[in-house]
Amino acid sequence: MANKHVNVIIVGAGAGGGVIAKELAVNGLSVILFERGEWPVYDKNANDELISQRIQELGNAFGPDWKRNPRVLISPDGKRTTITPANGGYNHNAACVGSGTVSYGGMAWRFMPEDFKLKSIYGHVEGSSLEDWPVTYDDLEPYYEKAEWEIGVSGDETNPFAGPRNRPYPMPAFEYNREARHLSETCKKMGLHPFPIPMLRNSIPYNGRPRCIRNRTCVGFACPVDAKNGTQNTVIPVAMKTGNCEVKTGCMVANIIIDEKGRARGVEYFDSKGNGKTQTADMVVVAGAATETARLLLNSKSKLHPNGAGNNNDWVGRNLQGHVYTGATGLFDFDILDLTGPGATMAICDFNHHNPGLVGGGMLCTEFFQLPYAFTGNRPSGSARWGKEHKDYQRKYYYRSARLHGPVQEIPNFDSRITVDPTVKDYWGIPVAAMSGGRHPLDRDNCIFLSSKAVEILKEAGAVQVWPRGIPGKVSYSPSGGQHQAGTCRMGNDPKTSVVNPFGQIHEIENLFVADGSVLVTNGGFNPVLTIMAIAYRTGEYIVKNFNSIKSS
Ligand SMILES: Cc1cc2nc3c(=O)[nH]c(=O)nc-3n(C[C@H](O)[C@H](O)[C@H](O)COP(=O)(O)OP(=O)(O)OC[C@H]3O[C@@H](n4cnc5c(N)ncnc54)[C@H](O)[C@@H]3O)c2cc1C
Ligand code: SF4
């Protein structure tokens, strides 16, 4: 029996897809939300560090399934290597209802007003595709507020570099732990401006769920008390409660059906038993994250779009960005950690912009606690990584090390990209994503600068040994991306140099939208999820207002 026709199909139940589903369902549109993964179950995905979402060698608790989802990495000399989610360079995020928002650390950053107009501030950068956004911070402010209140953010208003806000956070900020208390005093003495990190976690009971108990295992895991706020426990349940939204898990969408007139008519997908099926709709929204969204559009070829949906100008899949994490680690001669979870509590934004000779910069913050396996990778060079010396180091320094680091504003470039591989196919027989290109050389300059600032702060705080970390080599051999992947369906006003308009609508296909990290023009010097959610709220509002006219046009 054919599936019942619906108003809107959404592909991907992560950050962007979850928000869109709620916005459309509460406004009376019938929605099917497709997700290739399953609902996360805490007991099934519990605290095993070796399969946490932060460590990839043994695969990830929240997907994607490493046997079914290969990708291809293309090196600068053209060599193609097939990789799985258990290999470096895969750019895994997650594949389940909620996606990364189940296991994320929950940092809830608004980008700064400057982040939306880098080209105007810094000028053209040779070898880059740096551009201003077609929207400003002020355009997004009401949607940031909506995300903060509906999904739930704890924070305060003490960051002097933040853009203006019309409403306070719904929950108070988390108190600093011992490490943050110590480092914030140092920062203040140095004339810097520390403040508590805004978090998508409950500092007080909120929206019917309890407050955070501050355990060590947060990032990489689901929350044992459900105090972490993702789309799986906020907006998606709201959407389902309306009766207008059906979530179909275990369903891999293979391509978008585009008819002879160039309109999206639905999708072809494989259900959880592997059966190929068709679902029709008046409109399709793609929210599969920057890599898979580009792949799906490129795999959706049709008469008027022979190079893939929305790709007549060859912009789909370009400008792939992520974040290099840079900073420094310091060893102290006293216990600086008290293990009040989840670790990261304090940040500074003194170096996000206006750094001499640089384009952008980045936020620096204290780090989520590293569990023992991850801690083995955090050593001064030359340290033993096995045997007695290794064990002595683990015991001596676990409580005596502190990290300051953060995501660097990356400079986008046209050749860092996703294409689809001509031969390699996934479990379902769908051509896989191929990643190629490299980072812009200026990212390295930002990393050198920011890590030197982290070194200065840690030394001033009394660290007896400090070393920088996260500085890429002079030549980049692979594209950025990772868990902060963004940029592959750039938003813009000009159809010749962007994929979607400022509302996420594909220029070339009126009833096809993108609502995830793909639409970001630049990726900020911050973790991106709150910005992805804010944009999805704005896109959702636009679809609701214009649904009838788009449907009948
Ligand atoms: C361990 C970890 C920590 C993080 N910490 C932070 C943090 O502190 N702060 C922050 O801002 N960000 C953080 N992030 C990143 C954040 O989770 C992502 O930026 C965000 O989830 C991306 O949103 P999205 O909508 O672009 O895609 P996603 O949220 O990844 O959603 C995409 C969904 O689409 C599904 N999908 C894709 N293709 C298909 C298909 N063809 N058919 C069916 N389903 C499909 C995927 O399975 C996935 O569930 C973290 C991520 C991880 C994994
Ligand atoms: S620190 Fe623990 S209790 Fe708090 S949100 Fe994270 S996982 Fe949940």
Side-chain angles (χ1 to χ4, degrees), residues 109-129:
W109 295 104
R110 291 180 174 206
F111 285 4
M112 288 164 64
E114 291 94 327
D115 292 327
F116 296 91
K117 43 187 184 182
L118 289 188
K119 192 170 180 187
S120 298
I121 296 174
Y122 297 102
H124 173 69
V125 175
E126 209 46 50
S128 85
S129 50

Side-chain angles (χ1 to χ4, degrees), residues 126-344:
E126 209 46 50
S128 85
S129 50
L130 190 68
E131 197 47 85
D132 288 353
W133 289 52
V135 295
T136 64
Y137 173 87
D138 291 342
D139 293 328
L140 271 195
E141 202 284 334
Y143 305 96
Y144 273 131
E145 179 186 309
K146 206 166 175 187
E148 287 164 353
W149 280 79
E150 288 199 0
I151 297 173
V153 176
S154 303
D156 70 14
E157 297 178 49
T158 53
N159 172 9
F161 302 101
R165 46 188 308 126
N166 290 322
R167 200 177 176 194
Y169 287 103
M171 291 178 275
F174 280 91
E175 280 177 21
Y176 286 159
N177 54 17
R178 186 190 297 163
E179 173 195 20
R181 282 197 296 276
H182 186 76
L183 293 177
S184 70
E185 286 311 312
T186 308
C187 286
K188 279 194 237 160
K189 273 190 217 143
M190 295 172 76
L192 303 172
H193 302 84
F195 61 91
I197 301 171
M199 285 285 187
L200 285 142
R201 296 167 29 233
N202 293 347
S203 59
I204 53 174
Y206 191 70
N207 267 346
R209 286 180 291 104
R211 74 177 173 82
C212 162
I213 56 171
R214 306 199 66 172
N215 59 343
R216 279 186 301 163
T217 50
C218 188
V219 68
F221 303 102
C223 177
V225 296
D226 212 14
K228 183 155 55 169
N229 303 322
T231 53
Q232 81 290 348
N233 59 1
T234 57
V235 281
I236 293 175
V238 173
M240 292 169 74
K241 220 171 169 184
T242 62
N244 294 329
C245 175
E246 182 186 354
V247 181
K248 285 197 175 216
T249 60
C251 292
M252 181 71 180
V253 175
N255 72 287
I256 303 156
I257 304 161
I258 313 285
D259 69 12
E260 299 262 309
K261 293 184 180 144
R263 282 183 76 83
R265 291 294 173 204
V267 299
E268 288 177 330
Y269 69 99
F270 293 94
D271 71 10
S272 55
K273 296 195 175 95
N275 299 317
K277 294 200 166 158
T278 300
Q279 173 67 54
T280 60
D282 301 315
M283 190 179 279
V284 177
V285 180
V286 186
T291 305
E292 292 299 314
T293 285
R295 174 193 179 200
L296 180 56
L297 293 179
L298 293 170
N299 272 331
S300 303
K301 296 185 166 70
S302 60
K303 190 174 155 207
L304 295 181
H305 301 274
N307 301 319
N311 194 36
N312 284 344
N313 289 309
D314 191 24
W315 272 75
V316 172
R318 303 272 188 182
N319 307 304
L320 174 64
Q321 297 153 70
H323 280 130
V324 190
Y325 258 76
T326 194
T329 304
L331 301 182
F332 292 78
D333 57 10
F334 57 91
D335 287 357
I336 188 164
L337 301 190
D338 61 4
L339 295 196
T340 302

Side-chain angles (χ1 to χ4, degrees), residues 10-18 33-38 52-55 60 62-64 69 71 92-109 111 197-200 218-221 228 231 248 250-255 268-270 286-293 295-296 323 325 368 426 430 482-486 515-520 523 526-533 536:
I10 302 170
V11 183
L33 179 57
F34 282 110
E35 171 54 51
R36 63 182 164 158
E38 299 295 339
S52 99
Q53 211 63 22
R54 276 204 138 185
I55 307 243
N60 300 123
F62 301 102
N69 295 279
R71 285 179 182 161
H92 74 296
N93 193 9
C96 62
V97 178
S99 187
T101 76
V102 175
S103 58
Y104 61 10
M107 290 198 196
W109 295 104
F111 285 4
I197 301 171
M199 285 285 187
L200 285 142
C218 188
V219 68
F221 303 102
K228 183 155 55 169
T231 53
K248 285 197 175 216
C251 292
M252 181 71 180
V253 175
N255 72 287
E268 288 177 330
Y269 69 99
F270 293 94
V286 186
T291 305
E292 292 299 314
T293 285
R295 174 193 179 200
L296 180 56
H323 280 130
Y325 258 76
F368 294 104
D426 66 12
I430 309 166
Q483 297 180 334
H484 293 182
Q485 57 191 265
D516 60 19
S518 314
V519 304
L520 273 58
N523 209 10
F526 296 105
N527 316 48
V529 83
L530 197 76
T531 301
I532 293 170
M533 290 167 171

Side-chain angles (χ1 to χ4, degrees), residues 36 53 55-60 63-71 82-93:
R36 63 182 164 158
Q53 211 63 22
I55 307 243
Q56 62 197 19
E57 284 81 355
L58 298 182
N60 300 123
D65 175 338
W66 69 275
K67 289 186 196 133
R68 295 184 173 199
N69 295 279
R71 285 179 182 161
T82 302
I83 56 173
T84 75
N87 297 124
Y90 182 85
N91 286 339
H92 74 296
N93 193 9

